[in-house]
Amino acid sequence: LLSVSVNQILLLLLVLTVCAILYNKVHQVPSALKSETVDLESPEEMEEEIPVVICAAAGRMGAAVAAISSIYSNTEANVLFYIVGLKTSLPHIRKWIENSKLKEIKFKVVEFNPMVLKGKIRQDASRPELLQPLNFVRFYLPLLIQKHEKVIYLDDDIIVQGDIQELYDTKLAPGHAAAFSDDCDLPSTHEMVRSVGMQNTYMGFLDYRKQAIRDLGISPSTCSFNPGVIVANMTEWKHQRITKQLEKWMQRNVEENLYSSTLGGGVATSPMLIVFHGKYSAINPMWHIRHLGWSPDTRYSEHFLQEAKLLHWNGRYKPWDYPSVHTDLWENWFIPDPSGKFKLTRPDS
């Protein structure tokens, strides 16, 4: 009888042990699945979409394609390209992308209506190309991009050699609607600036003979900035009514000729210099190495250009035309036009 009782107790203990093991296993499965699910989902949750705005102008679409190609090839980030153009040119760029290796990119084609510029641009015969409507797309970012807090705007005559995530991570100080690169930020560019007579102060962009400019109280020797690369905070932009402020200065320029015919010639740069004076954050200088299109004779060292994260051919001498400098760096990212409409201009072509 005693042995039967002991056996029953041992059996009961065994059953309880098995039940306890099964209970633990059953109750651990959800938590294990849960942690696995979190691990699987968290990269998606963390992977913020990086909106990049680039214009695709008729006659220079190859520039936009090379810029997009360079960005896409050098990052693992989740980039969404906003490709902005006029109605007539958009089918061309869409076809180019969809029939090339860029068909994998995430992109939206956005039509820019030039009627928003009516009465706001003063005709200037010295640099008519600067009056193209798409030069002013950067003024209207919140109207074109609806759902993003932070946006990158890039001119088309750039290539990106770094990871665009780095540029996107640029810190904007509280109250700043945008970050730009100062024109005095890199000692290595100073010699080039001097050698070609380039302007890197407000004096080169604004006409200080005009009372409206003097009334701003900005010293003419203040360092200018280049709005070809912008990291923008859309909430601040809208809150400060930046677009309205820019339009106000465009209209004043039509009436008073405050900047169009001055040496800098930057009809899109000048109003931004006024509106953002003292109210912008700085972009890492290596994320905007510029002036590559300023002269067909001035060259940077190859080592310096290899270290650069972003190259900008601002100026008249573009890398898809001839003459121009450092075209090999640009052509690395160029994708020929499947339709054959856009062709590179080369000395042997």
Side-chain angles (χ1 to χ4, degrees), residues 224-286:
S224 52
F225 58 79
N226 186 300
V229 176
I230 307 172
V231 181
N233 178 316
M234 293 293 92
T235 303
E236 279 296 337
W237 192 293
K238 288 183 273 195
H239 175 67
Q240 296 179 33
R241 298 168 63 85
I242 297 291
T243 298
K244 288 288 180 200
Q245 290 189 59
L246 291 166
E247 287 184 326
K248 181 191 88 170
W249 283 103
M250 290 168 78
Q251 280 162 334
R252 286 199 69 174
N253 182 58
V254 170
E255 295 156 13
E256 303 173 50
N257 193 17
L258 302 175
Y259 53 76
S260 289
S261 59
T262 51
L263 187 58
V267 289
T269 299
S270 299
M272 297 195 90
L273 291 177
I274 296 170
V275 170
F276 283 101
H277 174 252
K279 292 186 293 187
Y280 64 91
S281 297
I283 288 172
N284 178 333
M286 296 308 284

Side-chain angles (χ1 to χ4, degrees), residues 173-206:
H176 285 178
F180 306 101
S181 290
D182 274 324
D183 283 332
C184 313
D185 60 7
L186 270 184
S188 47
T189 65
H190 293 175
E191 190 54 45
M192 176 182 276
V193 167
R194 281 195 295 272
S195 68
V196 295
M198 204 181 322
Q199 293 296 317
N200 63 357
T201 65
Y202 273 56
M203 176 67 92
F205 293 89
L206 306 178

Side-chain angles (χ1 to χ4, degrees), residues 37-52:
T37 308
V38 167
D39 286 342
L40 287 171
E41 286 182 352
S42 58
E44 287 300 319
E45 288 169 1
M46 288 166 61
E47 192 178 31
E48 193 173 359
E49 205 167 53
I50 298 180
V52 176

Side-chain angles (χ1 to χ4, degrees), residues 65-138:
V65 166
I68 291 166
S69 167
S70 70
I71 294 164
Y72 180 66
S73 302
N74 286 310
T75 189
E76 296 293 322
N78 179 22
V79 180
L80 172 59
F81 293 97
Y82 283 86
I83 301 169
V84 185
L86 303 181
K87 190 174 186 177
T88 51
S89 57
L90 290 175
H92 184 188
I93 193 78
R94 182 185 286 281
K95 195 171 178 184
W96 195 333
I97 288 169
E98 290 174 349
N99 290 282
S100 73
K101 65 182 183 183
L102 291 180
K103 60 180 177 285
E104 302 297 326
I105 71 169
K106 285 170 63 179
F107 73 102
K108 290 183 179 179
V109 167
V110 181
E111 181 187 341
F112 182 67
N113 184 353
M115 288 307 292
V116 298
L117 300 171
K118 192 173 181 184
K120 300 184 185 80
I121 300 178
R122 184 185 184 87
Q123 295 308 306
D124 187 356
S126 63
R127 294 285 302 276
E129 74 275 14
L130 295 175
L131 304 178
Q132 296 301 319
L134 295 180
N135 277 337
F136 301 92
V137 161
R138 70 198 95 189

Side-chain angles (χ1 to χ4, degrees), residues 136-177:
F136 301 92
V137 161
R138 70 198 95 189
F139 290 16
Y140 296 94
L141 292 176
L143 301 182
L144 300 166
I145 314 300
Q146 301 296 336
K147 64 173 186 170
H148 301 281
E149 167 75 6
K150 199 175 187 183
V151 173
I152 293 173
Y153 166 88
L154 299 173
D155 276 354
D156 62 356
D157 51 354
I158 63 105
I159 59 154
V160 171
Q161 301 185 135
D163 185 343
I164 198 76
Q165 181 78 51
E166 280 182 42
L167 181 61
Y168 185 75
D169 290 341
T170 298
K171 293 277 186 289
L172 273 68
H176 285 178

